[in-house]
Amino acid sequence: MTKSIMLVGVGGQGTILASKLLTTGLMNAGYDVKMSEIHGMSQRGGSVSSQVRYGKEVYSPVIEIGGADILVSFEKMEALRWLEYLKPEGKIVVNNYRIDSMPVLNGKATYYEKEIDDELNRLNATIINAENKAKEMGNPKVMNIILLGALVKSMSLEYIDWKSIIRENIKEKFIDINLQAFKKGMEMISEALDLESN
């Protein structure tokens, strides 16, 4: 059965690297994998999405409306922007992080943070503070790998050799911090799900 994963965020957050690592891991595990990327004004903090589909035989890389098994959003508002792609029973994992778009910065639009938070809670989204955790670890850039770890745990893909994938695709001096970030992401999603179930 084909599974569909959607990663969304804002340019510069490392969404595409996370999806490439995900795709490599799934291919190494023997799945047929298709990936497509949609870049907005990614250099200027525009919307970016990456769609990954995997299974025994995958015919199209494109996820239809209402077809995603999981939506992983690197930024809060982006989760709502791409929500229509999620299956009714699909999972939402959201990084509790806000990036103001150019219209918000210019004063031409408003970022309704409370309304966004309320809607994510209503949707039972699993929310983690990947940005804060990455800063605590001393490298804000590993936020995307924390979210990759959260995704892997959410989709029960831990059996794949992610350590090797990270070692083979990340610059040597950043391997250790990325391995720690990946593990931390898996732990954070477990803790968040435990809290939700209590």
Side-chain angles (χ1 to χ4, degrees), residues 2-55:
T2 300
K3 294 281 187 184
S4 299
I5 296 171
M6 194 146 194
L7 296 96
V8 302
V10 171
Q13 285 193 289
T15 316
I16 302 302
L17 174 62
S19 61
K20 284 182 176 167
L21 293 171
L22 175 65
T23 299
T24 303
L26 291 167
M27 286 172 71
N28 285 6
Y31 291 107
D32 183 17
V33 187
K34 300 279 190 296
M35 173 184 161
S36 69
E37 300 163 17
I38 300 167
H39 299 262
M41 295 279 289
S42 51
Q43 300 84 353
R44 296 182 176 223
S47 193
V48 176
S49 86
S50 186
Q51 304 180 5
V52 178
R53 305 188 72 229
Y54 69 97

Side-chain angles (χ1 to χ4, degrees), residues 139-152:
N139 187 341
K141 289 191 171 179
V142 299
M143 179 199 73
N144 60 335
I145 305 301
I146 292 174
L147 287 159
L148 177 63
L151 164 61
V152 163

Side-chain angles (χ1 to χ4, degrees), residues 74-89:
F74 288 41
E75 196 276 343
K76 293 196 286 191
M77 188 189 282
E78 292 299 313
L80 301 184
R81 194 191 304 274
W82 296 93
L83 190 63
E84 65 181 349
Y85 284 88
L86 192 69
K87 286 180 177 175
E89 72 281 10

Side-chain angles (χ1 to χ4, degrees), residues 155-170:
M155 293 297 285
S156 304
L157 293 168
E158 304 98 314
Y159 58 89
I160 295 172
D161 187 0
W162 296 105
K163 285 184 181 176
S164 294
I165 303 299
I166 289 169
R167 286 185 195 282
E168 288 161 15
N169 293 280
I170 300 285

